[in-house]
Amino acid sequence: MRTDRGHTTSAPTFSAHGHYYAILLVEDLAPGSVQDYQVAVDGDVVWPTPDDVYPPCRIATLDRSRPSRFIYGSCRTSVPHDKEGTQAHGVDALRAYALEMVRDPDHWPDFVLFLGDQLYADETSRAMREFIERRRGLDAPPGSEVKDFVEYAELYRLAWSDPANRWLLSTLSSAMIFDDHDVRDDWNTSQAWHEEMNELPWWRDRITGALASYWIYQHAGNLAPEELQEDEIWQQIAAHDPADGELDVTGVIDAFADRVDRDPQTYRFSFTRELGESRLVVIDSRNARVLRPGERAMLDPTESDWFDEQLHGDTSHLFIGTSLPFFLPPAIHDLESIDETMAGGAWGGRRMARLGEKLREAVDLEHWAAFERSFAHVLQRVVEVARGEHGAAPSTITFLSGDVHNSYITQVQHERYELDSRILQVVCSPIRNPLPPHVRMLQGTLANWTRSPMRRLARRLPQVRLPAYEWDLTHGPWFDNNMGGVEVLGDRLLFTWARGLVSDEKYDQPRLDRVSTVLIG
């Protein structure tokens, strides 16, 4: 790789399942600097391509002396940006943002944060189904779903090869975490789900392909250079001498993925980013779960201890990225708490427990509220940070999430509890995967339903554990395809949601349209 300032970085390739990759560490760049770059293979420039119509790709290092500004979102299907794709899935908000960056090159964010469901391995597009049919046919299980690493590689290629989105990702730093559809709907919802999937003959290839490809395509880029140097997979790549021939990590990466699925405590996918005045902590709320009855937890003990260490003050703003919303609208939280208690065996033993499990999977009652002990533990720790018990209290503590295919803000009643920090949940979902109208209506009704009926029901059921602190839905929900924006303004935060709009049937040239703006503080 060569920059326009004469900086050159190179690395040998390595392979996995017949695909070739390279990870380059670009070091010694000044903070707040911007450099255009090109990528060459064996001396020949391969990116940007000669016919590329977008601005030069660039590396913009973080300037920690100025306020942070970034975008985020979740839930993005990869279908064509034409009339058919737009009518079925709406405008890709990420692509609309990329085109807006081309039009306005002076106001780019620092980075983009993806909070799950970048891929839909269980609900594949026409192009992906055609690939699967050519490779192995669609009749044998898992049919049109992704089966293994090779098919995940194609899924990532389809997801990120649109020219506008590819340019955005070559220009903005990105951070990512997975959610269930990156593997399969309801991934690790419960022990019953986990056992059922592990009985399927194709599942082992699926889960190892998912986690192995995730490390290569996403996770390695989440890590700071010093963290990458400590990573077990990277150490084997970095230690290889090209004189010994080509490095094939297929066996290494597959064994790694199989191990971390069977024992999540042996590896951490969660990560942090220091932004200057602020701090971002992104937590794995899928693979790190404990599913054993009586021990259910959103995070295993090792992950939970690490997360506690990250939840401290001495920063102006603390952001917590978790694919699943921590604070749901109050009525939905109470519904999930009731189902969690039912699935735990209350009110009828095994029969009611089975009913609770079926309801959990049928209507996705598996957010933090459905892992009640984990929710209570994290909430108490966050409140302690907001009271200044773990360093100087930040101005805000904000959970950033996706998953639910609508956007909203909830806020803990900080004056009631005498908190020094505002505690928020800010959701942006989907980037491109809108809900059907009847589901939107149901979710909107539940979200805006006063907490009184559901809370009265929960109080009449003594086994249900009520939250120690209450919060309110203050904005939303709204259901557009959106990219969310976060801008630090001193001790305040500016949140925005923007969608793509098409004019004159120019489906591949959407413009960015502001849906909502909320100033907190």
Side-chain angles (χ1 to χ4, degrees):
M1 188 187 78
R2 298 191 295 265
T3 73
D4 62 343
R5 299 187 184 183
H7 194 105
T8 301
T9 302
S10 63
T13 59
F14 62 92
S15 65
H17 292 276
H19 290 72
Y20 286 83
Y21 307 93
I23 299 175
L24 284 78
L25 300 185
V26 185
E27 300 176 302
D28 300 322
L29 301 180
S33 65
V34 177
Q35 302 187 57
D36 297 343
Y37 72 92
Q38 296 178 323
V39 177
V41 176
D42 294 333
D44 297 325
V45 175
V46 296
W47 178 258
T49 57
D51 59 348
D52 191 87
V53 298
Y54 292 94
C57 309
R58 74 179 197 182
I59 299 173
T61 58
L62 193 64
D63 183 354
R64 291 185 172 88
S65 67
R66 65 176 180 81
S68 302
R69 179 171 176 258
F70 60 94
I71 58 175
Y72 76 102
S74 76
C75 307
R76 178 178 174 269
T77 54
S78 303
V79 298
H81 305 283
D82 55 14
K83 182 177 181 180
E84 180 182 358
T86 301
Q87 288 179 342
H89 294 261
V91 177
D92 182 355
L94 180 67
R95 191 170 188 276
Y97 206 102
L99 296 176
E100 183 66 18
M101 287 172 58
V102 173
R103 299 184 188 108
D104 184 7
D106 297 324
H107 297 91
W108 291 358
D110 297 319
F111 66 95
V112 56
L113 172 64
F114 295 104
L115 289 169
D117 294 342
Q118 287 80 246
L119 308 175
Y120 279 77
D122 51 351
E123 300 173 11
T124 52
S125 66
R126 180 187 302 173
M128 189 65 212
R129 291 193 297 272
E130 290 172 353
F131 176 85
I132 293 172
E133 186 169 24
R134 291 192 303 269
R135 182 174 183 246
R136 58 173 170 83
L138 296 172
D139 295 332
S144 62
E145 296 187 29
V146 169
K147 183 180 181 180
D148 56 18
F149 184 101
V150 172
E151 292 177 12
Y152 265 103
E154 178 66 8
L155 196 63
Y156 277 107
R157 189 190 71 81
L158 292 171
W160 303 125
S161 61
D162 169 74
N165 285 321
R166 186 180 181 188
W167 171 79
L168 180 145
L169 291 171
S170 72
T171 299
L172 286 186
S173 174
S174 60
M176 307 180 186
I177 194 64
F178 43 56
D179 200 33
D180 58 341
H181 287 284
D182 295 290
V183 177
R184 199 172 202 252
D185 189 24
D186 298 330
W187 176 30
N188 283 347
T189 296
S190 66
Q191 183 71 11
W193 184 95
H194 192 266
E195 291 174 353
E196 178 183 348
M197 295 308 300
N198 274 278
E199 291 177 358
L200 299 174
W202 51 267
W203 177 250
R204 191 48 37 193
D205 286 343
R206 169 72 155 271
I207 190 63
T208 56
L211 296 177
S213 62
Y214 176 78
W215 189 95
I216 292 175
Y217 282 87
Q218 299 190 11
H219 182 66
N222 291 336
L223 303 177
E226 58 273 15
E227 294 172 321
L228 187 62
Q229 298 287 357
E230 297 176 357
D231 186 272
E232 61 183 89
I233 302 297
W234 171 251
Q235 287 177 352
Q236 296 191 49
I237 295 171
H240 180 72
D241 186 346
D244 295 333
E246 174 188 300
L247 174 62
D248 186 343
V249 301
T250 299
V252 171
I253 200 79
D254 285 356
F256 157 81
D258 181 70
R259 187 195 80 222
V260 299
D261 169 63
R262 296 178 188 275
D263 186 2
Q265 293 195 78
T266 63
Y267 191 82
R268 186 180 72 245
F269 286 111
S270 303
F271 59 94
T272 63
R273 282 202 175 184
E274 299 296 339
L275 307 180
E277 84 297 308
S278 305
R279 191 161 193 256
L280 170 65
V281 182
V282 180
I283 192 73
D284 162 21
S285 54
R286 281 290 175 185
N287 192 66
R289 295 180 177 187
V290 177
L291 302 174
R292 294 181 296 274
E295 302 177 41
R296 278 174 55 84
M298 186 66 84
L299 307 175
D300 63 54
T302 301
E303 194 88 8
S304 182
D305 289 345
W306 177 86
F307 192 28
D308 281 352
E309 292 174 2
Q310 313 312 309
L311 294 181
H312 59 77
D314 296 325
T315 186
S316 295
H317 301 275
L318 177 61
F319 297 104
I320 303 169
T322 168
S323 62
L324 299 163
F326 187 77
F327 294 112
L328 294 165
I332 299 177
H333 177 97
D334 290 340
L335 176 62
E336 294 206 3
S337 294
I338 292 170
D339 180 77
E340 167 80 347
T341 307
M342 181 188 303
W347 319 314
R350 291 183 179 179
R351 186 180 63 169
M352 291 300 287
R354 285 195 296 269
L355 176 60
E357 288 285 357
K358 290 180 179 179
L359 287 174
R360 194 201 312 269
E361 292 187 30
V363 289
D364 289 338
L365 304 178
E366 44 96 28
H367 300 84
W368 284 84
F371 291 79
E372 190 60 43
R373 285 184 294 182
S374 294
F375 175 84
H377 174 82
V378 172
L379 176 57
Q380 183 58 42
R381 178 75 181 197
V382 166
V383 167
E384 291 171 3
V385 175
R387 286 176 171 160
E389 297 177 19
H390 302 283
S395 296
T396 64
I397 303 172
T398 304
F399 290 88
L400 299 171
S401 304
D403 176 70
V404 292
H405 297 260
N406 66 83
S407 300
Y408 65 84
I409 296 179
T410 60
Q411 191 167 174
V412 172
Q413 300 169 0
H414 70 285
E415 293 181 356
R416 173 182 173 183
Y417 301 115
E418 299 181 345
L419 304 177
D420 296 324
S421 310
R422 293 180 181 270
I423 303 175
L424 309 165
Q425 171 72 74
V426 186
V427 175
C428 180
S429 172
I431 297 175
R432 193 187 195 191
N433 194 13
L435 292 172
H438 69 282
V439 181
R440 296 188 191 192
M441 184 178 298
L442 176 61
Q443 281 210 7
T445 300
L446 284 173
N448 286 301
W449 191 19
T450 176
R451 66 163 49 92
S452 298
M454 193 62 67
R455 182 55 52 86
R456 283 199 299 269
L457 175 60
R459 283 173 175 163
R460 290 174 182 173
L461 301 172
Q463 296 94 329
V464 176
R465 184 174 181 175
L466 297 175
Y469 305 90
E470 294 190 353
W471 59 93
D472 301 304
L473 177 68
T474 59
H475 300 82
W478 47 94
F479 295 88
D480 311 83
N481 287 345
N482 280 316
M483 286 300 299
V486 182
E487 186 171 357
V488 175
L489 301 173
D491 60 357
R492 301 185 296 172
L493 296 177
L494 180 66
F495 297 102
T496 59
W497 288 260
R499 62 181 177 176
L501 286 182
V502 169
S503 301
D504 301 324
E505 295 191 348
K506 295 180 180 178
Y507 295 102
D508 63 341
Q509 292 295 317
R511 62 181 178 84
L512 203 63
D513 177 64
R514 187 68 54 83
V515 172
S516 184
T517 301
V518 178
L519 182 64
I520 299 293

